[in-house]
């Protein structure tokens, strides 16, 4: 116990309490006689003394201290592989039945010493604890990352990774495990000896081709225990064979890459079927066939990247633009505009730091504007802001010098021209700042800001990335240079997906050819099998003004004729569809927008591409599993040795309970029971006085 004031004050407190008690009862105020009267008087005097002393003691401020100890068991996370590759192994029946019983016993043994948490994983970590082995993508690195993040502040003791070690998405798990400060115990599943099997290991080809061109398709063929046998590699389209090549397997472990050239046929999403003939005695023929989906389009949209001078942004922008299906990008500098012809059919012109301070590029930009060519301005230190204001009077910029601000990106949640998922929004907030001209920004007329500027900790209304709406021309502005920094940062944060998608959606919105259709429903040409099918729709009245109260519905039909009906949800100036995850194949759709007695219709098609990643490997990656355990001071065992692993984990030095000790301080004046003691003393004293005739 400690006191807020000097403990010497206890002595005068005792004296004062005793003196006050004696003074109150010194003359026998109750007029009691005999020995009983003396006893009662002394009791009353004692009660009053205790009452006054406790009250005086509370004024000195006594504080009690207590040491609390809490023992926390270490968390042991079990992560079970849920991928199809496990189900394709020779011991698949064992993994689905007896192994699950052994795993339950393994958890029961460890639950007395650890807080055991069980997950499954394929493309990501799942809360379901029992695997069904239907995952079409395996990302071990992502599963380890999610475990580390989920238990970052908890006492994570170790991880038990149950897998065949085969992964087809994400980084090498060894890179991720190097940053984990806990042991990883690996349990190897799958086949460690290669069965007799020939397979298509990998296929590489462009996802976009143009009518009249040829498509080069690289096919990697692997075979185990097929020495001396022959096979035929072929590529077909709509049942017609386009290319063939004979293959001779020489050696027990065979690998070759072949490049076959086929013509780009049809238009839209086309399926090219790649197959290698089976050999006698193969374990499975599922991996002998691969379907490549290619989007064949009639012409390519041209983008002109016109710059004031060489800049790191140009390479990043060109790379991201050309990653968009059907787009090509040409880089030109304003000091040599001889090859630039505004009459050319450019779908979009990106103006990097143009117009210049001396009006460089002004006349050329005016010619593009006269032809209603969509423009994307990227502002920087060399941009002539006064010239830009003359060209784009709706964008008003008041500046004093050529200084720059470091502007962070702040997402506008009300933006409605296109959608960004939550991952992109989170990543955008972590990007380094762009160098934005130091100025006061304002926009007149109809516009939508995707990003606004945040200067330090201050969120402003100044636009950083916005779109001007016009009946004749589409234009957008990025009010800062340094996109290349975003491109580099995105490599670490989201594998360069966020910035690329942001640029792609921007140029797609700007370069979309205007038509007179009053109802537009925008599906992607292709979706992956595990991808959610989403779409956006726009509805206009006869004056081409956005309608927000239409009833928009779509009927999606698969290749077997089964129909799925959906109603689109109105969001700001557009309608959105989330059809969930559909099975692979070709789909057609018919959509209607109804408002009053008027009904508008549109139709189209799209493909869901099947995922075939889990079929390309059939031998467990035992070396990876051993290295994961060795690198993290864990242990590697086979799936049949779960009991031995339980004993190893119990004896591991790093997995011990942690005792947390904390000091708790509490002032006595906050203790409720002291109030009740004082109340009891007062009540008792009053009762005795009342009983003995006190008024």
């Amino acid at each position: 116990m400690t006191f807020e004031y000097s403990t010497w004050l206890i002595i005068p407190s005792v004296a004062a309490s005793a003196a006050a008690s004696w003074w109150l009862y010194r003359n026998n105020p109750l007029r009691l006689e005999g020995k009983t009267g003396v006893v009662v008087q002394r009791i009353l005097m004692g009660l009053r003394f205790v009452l006054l002393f406790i009250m005086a003691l509370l004024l000195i401020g006594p504080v009690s201290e207590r040491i609390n100890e809490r023992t926390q068991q270490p968390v042991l996370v079990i992560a079970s592989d849920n991928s199809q590759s496990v189900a394709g192994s020779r011991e698949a029946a064992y993994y689905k039945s007896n192994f699950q019983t052994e795993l339950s016993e393994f958890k029961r043994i460890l639950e007395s010493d650890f807080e055991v948490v069980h997950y499954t994983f394929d493309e990501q970590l799942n809360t379901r604890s029992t695997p069904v082995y239907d995952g079409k993508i395996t990302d071990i690195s992502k599963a380890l990352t999610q475990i580390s993040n989920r238990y970052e502040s908890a006492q994570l003791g170790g991880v038990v990774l149950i897998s065949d070690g085969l992964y087809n998405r994400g980084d090498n798990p060894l890179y991720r495990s190097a940053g984990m400060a806990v042991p990883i115990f690996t349990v190897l599943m799958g086949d460690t000896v290669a069965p007799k099997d020939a397979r298509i290991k990998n296929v590489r080809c462009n996802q976009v081709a143009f009518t009249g061109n040829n498509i080069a398709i690289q096919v990697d063929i692997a075979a185990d225990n097929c020495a001396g046998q022959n096979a035929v590699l072929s590529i077909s389209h709509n049942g017609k064979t386009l290319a063939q090549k004979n293959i001779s397997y020489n050696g027990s472990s065979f690998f070759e890459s072949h490049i076959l050239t086929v013509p780009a046929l049809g238009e839209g999403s086309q399926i090219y079927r790649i197959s290698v003939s089976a050999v006698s005695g193969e374990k499975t023929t599922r991996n002998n066939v691969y379907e490549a989906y290619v989007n064949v389009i009639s012409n390519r949209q041209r983008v002109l990247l016109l710059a004031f001078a060489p800049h790191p942004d140009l390479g990043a922008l060109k790379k991201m633009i050309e990653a968009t299906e059907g787009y090509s990008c040409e880089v030109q500098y304003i000091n040599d505009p001889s090859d630039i012809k505004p009459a050319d059919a450019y779908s979009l012109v990106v103006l990097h730091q143009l117009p210049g301070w001396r009006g460089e590029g002004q006349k050329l930009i005016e010619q593009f504007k006269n032809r209603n060519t969509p423009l994307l301005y990227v502002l920087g230190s060399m941009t002539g802001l006064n010239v830009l204001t003359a060209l784009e009077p709706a964008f008003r910029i008041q500046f004093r010098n050529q200084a720059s601000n470091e502007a962070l990106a702040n997402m506008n949640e009300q933006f409605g021209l296109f959608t960004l998922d939550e991952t992109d929004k989170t990543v955008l907030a972590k990007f380094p700042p762009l160098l934005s001209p130091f100025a006061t920004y304002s926009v007149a007329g109809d516009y939508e800001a995707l990003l606004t500027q945040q200067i330090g900790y201050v969120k402003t209304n100044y636009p950083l990335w916005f779109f001007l709406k016009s009946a004749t021309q589409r234009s957008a502005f990025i009010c800062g240079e340094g996109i290349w920094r975003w491109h580099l940062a995105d490599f670490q944060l989201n594998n360069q997906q966020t910035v690329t998608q942001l640029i792609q959606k921007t140029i797609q919105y700007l370069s979309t050819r205007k038509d007179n259709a009053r109802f537009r429903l925008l599906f992607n040409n292709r979706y992956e099998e595990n991808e959610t099918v989403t779409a956006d729709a726009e509805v206009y009245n006869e004056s081409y003004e956005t309608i927000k109260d239409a009833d928009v519905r779509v009927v999606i039909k698969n290749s077997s004729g089964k129909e799925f009906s959906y109603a689109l949800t109105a969001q700001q100036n557009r309608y959105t569809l989330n059809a969930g995850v559909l099975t692979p194949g070709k789909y057609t759709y018919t959509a209607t927008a109804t408002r009053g007695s008027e009904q508008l219709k549109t139709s189209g098609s799209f493909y869901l591409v099947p995922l075939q990643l889990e079929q390309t490997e059939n031998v467990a990656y035992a070396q990876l599993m051993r290295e994961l355990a060795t690198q993290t001071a864990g242990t590697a065992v086979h799936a049949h040795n779960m009991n031995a692993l339980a004993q190893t984990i119990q004896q591991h030095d790093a997995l011990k309970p942690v005792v947390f000790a904390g000091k708790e301080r509490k002032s006595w004046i906050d203790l409720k029971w002291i109030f009740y003691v004082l109340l009891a003393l007062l009540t008792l004293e009053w009762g005795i006085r009342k009983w003995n005739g006190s008024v």
Side-chain angles (χ1 to χ4, degrees):
M1 181 186 296
T2 59
F3 292 86
E4 296 179 5
Y5 302 99
S6 174
T7 54
W8 289 102
L9 293 175
I10 297 177
I11 296 176
S13 297
V14 172
S17 301
S21 301
W22 172 80
W23 181 264
L24 179 63
Y25 290 102
R26 71 189 187 286
N27 294 323
N28 192 10
L30 300 182
R31 303 290 188 265
L32 298 175
E33 297 179 356
K35 293 184 178 180
T36 303
V38 174
V39 171
V40 171
Q41 184 175 354
R42 290 178 179 178
I43 291 175
L44 290 174
M45 190 179 299
L47 290 174
R48 179 55 62 98
F49 168 76
V50 174
L51 175 67
L52 293 176
F53 175 71
I54 292 176
M55 295 176 67
L57 193 65
L58 291 178
L59 294 176
I60 301 175
V63 177
S64 60
E65 294 183 353
R66 183 172 61 179
I67 303 298
N68 293 324
E69 291 188 353
R70 178 173 58 90
T71 301
Q72 179 175 320
Q73 299 289 358
V75 176
L76 184 69
V77 174
I78 301 175
S80 295
D81 194 338
N82 187 53
S83 63
Q84 290 180 338
S85 60
V86 176
S89 65
R90 284 176 292 186
E91 291 191 294
Y94 163 71
Y95 295 137
K96 294 178 180 178
S97 56
N98 293 346
F99 177 73
Q100 298 304 317
T101 303
E102 295 171 9
L103 183 58
S104 298
E105 178 63 18
F106 172 80
K107 291 191 291 185
R108 188 193 65 78
I109 294 173
L110 294 177
E111 280 174 349
S112 59
D113 299 316
F114 305 95
E115 181 185 345
V116 180
V117 184
H118 194 182
Y119 299 101
T120 59
F121 71 92
D122 36 54
E123 185 178 5
Q124 61 182 357
L125 201 66
N126 307 311
T127 55
R128 183 182 61 215
S129 61
T130 304
V132 293
Y133 305 115
D134 61 351
K136 300 178 183 297
I137 295 175
T138 306
D139 191 340
I140 299 177
S141 179
K142 188 173 184 179
L144 293 176
T145 299
Q146 291 178 331
I147 290 172
S148 180
N149 293 341
R150 192 166 295 185
Y151 293 94
E152 187 172 7
S153 59
Q155 182 57 33
L156 179 61
V159 176
V160 178
L161 180 66
I162 305 173
S163 174
D164 56 10
L166 298 175
Y167 66 96
N168 42 52
R169 187 68 60 85
D171 298 330
N172 189 323
L174 289 172
Y175 301 150
R176 181 63 192 90
S177 64
M180 298 183 70
V182 297
I184 299 178
F185 305 92
T186 57
V187 180
L188 181 63
M189 308 173 77
D191 301 326
T192 56
V193 178
K196 186 174 185 179
D197 185 44
R199 62 195 179 276
I200 298 175
K201 187 176 179 66
N202 198 11
V203 174
R204 298 180 181 89
C205 68
N206 291 336
Q207 294 184 357
V208 180
F210 299 92
T211 303
N213 292 354
N214 289 329
I215 305 171
I217 302 178
Q218 178 181 325
V219 184
D220 297 340
I221 302 296
D224 296 310
N225 304 316
C226 297
Q229 300 196 48
N230 301 319
V232 177
L233 172 65
S234 63
I235 301 178
S236 60
H237 177 268
N238 291 338
K240 181 181 178 181
T241 302
L242 303 179
Q244 281 187 338
K245 194 166 188 177
N246 294 323
I247 299 174
S248 296
Y249 300 127
N250 49 10
S252 59
S253 182
F254 174 87
F255 178 85
E256 278 186 359
S257 290
H258 300 275
I259 298 178
L260 285 74
T261 302
V262 296
L265 301 175
E267 189 171 340
S269 293
Q270 304 295 320
I271 302 177
Y272 288 84
R273 190 174 189 271
I274 305 162
S275 62
V276 59
S277 57
V279 297
S280 175
E282 267 197 82
K283 171 193 170 185
T284 178
T285 58
R286 291 188 310 161
N287 50 18
N288 289 48
V289 178
Y290 189 98
E291 291 184 342
Y293 287 73
V294 180
N295 185 27
V296 180
I297 57 181
S298 57
N299 57 359
R300 189 192 299 261
Q301 296 202 53
R302 298 173 61 195
V303 176
L304 174 62
L305 181 49
L306 186 58
F308 184 89
H311 194 282
D313 281 352
L314 304 181
L317 288 169
K318 178 178 172 63
K319 180 179 179 180
M320 291 185 285
I321 292 171
E322 291 188 335
T324 311
E325 287 190 6
Y327 285 80
S328 65
C329 183
E330 308 167 21
V331 179
Q332 295 283 349
Y333 299 102
I334 198 62
N335 58 0
D336 185 21
S338 57
D339 296 332
I340 303 172
K341 298 178 181 178
D344 289 351
Y346 289 116
S347 301
L348 172 67
V349 176
V350 181
L351 301 166
H352 191 272
Q353 303 201 68
L354 288 174
W357 278 100
R358 294 186 178 89
E360 295 91 340
Q362 180 178 1
K363 292 183 179 179
L364 201 56
I365 296 172
E366 288 175 347
Q367 294 180 55
F368 284 124
K369 288 180 66 65
N370 291 335
R371 297 186 63 84
N372 294 328
T373 303
L375 302 175
L376 172 59
Y377 295 89
V378 181
L379 279 58
S381 59
M382 304 305 296
T383 303
L385 301 180
N386 54 345
V387 184
L388 176 61
T389 303
L391 287 169
E392 300 287 350
F395 187 23
R396 301 167 184 172
I397 309 174
Q398 297 178 359
F399 62 95
R400 295 181 180 178
N401 49 44
Q402 292 181 257
S404 298
N405 268 334
E406 291 189 344
L408 297 168
N410 185 33
M411 185 71 193
N412 176 20
E413 298 293 342
Q414 303 303 317
F415 181 76
L417 297 182
F418 50 78
T419 57
L420 294 174
D421 59 33
E422 292 303 320
T423 300
D424 292 332
K425 294 177 183 178
T426 302
V427 171
L428 274 169
K430 300 178 181 178
F431 282 163
L434 297 181
L435 293 179
S436 181
F438 180 67
T440 301
Y441 299 83
S442 63
V443 185
D446 195 9
Y447 79 100
E448 283 207 41
L450 171 65
L451 304 173
T452 55
Q453 298 184 31
Q454 179 176 328
I455 311 299
Y457 293 100
V458 180
K459 295 181 180 180
T460 73
N461 292 324
Y462 296 162
L464 180 64
W465 194 309
F466 73 98
F467 298 79
L468 274 180
K469 296 181 179 180
S470 171
T472 57
Q473 184 187 36
R474 290 182 176 180
S475 56
F477 298 79
I478 302 175
C479 302
E481 58 181 299
I483 292 293
W484 67 273
R485 294 189 182 92
W486 284 15
H487 196 241
L488 289 178
D490 198 22
F491 182 80
Q492 295 291 334
L493 295 171
N494 198 23
N495 199 25
Q496 288 190 335
Q497 295 183 21
T498 297
V499 180
T500 300
Q501 289 186 15
L502 189 56
I503 290 293
Q504 289 177 350
K505 290 187 176 185
T506 296
I507 67 172
Q508 286 172 346
Y509 170 79
L510 293 174
S511 61
T512 300
R513 295 183 178 89
K514 289 193 173 184
D515 54 38
N516 294 324
R518 293 168 47 203
F519 177 34
R520 303 167 189 169
L521 181 60
L522 306 175
F523 277 95
N524 293 338
N525 291 321
R526 51 180 281 154
Y527 300 86
E528 288 190 343
E529 180 179 353
N530 64 334
E531 185 179 359
T532 301
V533 176
T534 60
D536 292 328
E538 297 176 341
V539 184
Y540 302 90
N541 60 21
E542 293 181 354
S543 299
Y544 288 92
E545 297 171 331
T546 304
I547 295 175
K548 304 178 183 179
D549 58 351
D551 180 21
V552 182
R553 299 180 180 274
V554 62
V555 176
I556 299 175
K557 182 186 298 186
N558 62 16
S559 55
S560 61
K562 186 176 180 179
E563 295 184 348
F564 307 89
S565 299
Y566 303 92
L568 276 68
T569 304
Q571 290 188 356
Q572 298 180 20
N573 295 329
R574 70 183 191 279
Y575 300 83
T576 62
L577 167 68
N578 186 334
V581 178
L582 304 177
T583 56
K586 182 177 181 180
Y587 290 82
T588 59
Y589 63 85
T590 302
T592 60
T594 306
R595 186 171 183 255
S597 59
E598 184 180 29
Q599 187 178 77
L600 305 173
K601 291 186 178 182
T602 188
S603 60
S605 63
F606 60 88
Y607 275 96
L608 248 77
V609 181
L611 291 171
Q612 304 165 76
L613 300 174
E614 291 293 322
Q615 303 172 13
T616 58
E617 292 290 348
N618 52 22
V619 181
Y621 198 170
Q623 181 180 352
L624 172 67
M625 298 292 280
R626 286 193 295 268
E627 290 181 358
L628 274 173
T630 302
Q631 180 174 276
T632 59
T635 305
V637 300
H638 195 271
H640 291 278
N641 297 326
M642 294 297 290
N643 288 335
L645 179 61
Q647 296 177 6
T648 301
I649 292 175
Q650 287 176 325
Q651 298 169 4
H652 200 283
D653 294 336
L655 281 78
K656 300 299 182 183
V658 177
V659 178
F660 296 92
K663 183 182 290 185
E664 182 183 2
R665 291 171 53 89
K666 199 160 189 177
S667 176
W668 279 32
I669 202 167
D670 296 325
L671 299 176
K672 293 182 179 180
W673 64 268
I674 292 182
F675 166 77
Y676 293 113
V677 169
L678 295 175
L679 182 63
L681 291 171
L682 285 171
T683 304
L684 182 60
E685 183 182 356
W686 176 85
I688 294 174
R689 293 177 58 140
K690 189 71 173 175
W691 181 262
N692 289 276
S694 176
V695 179

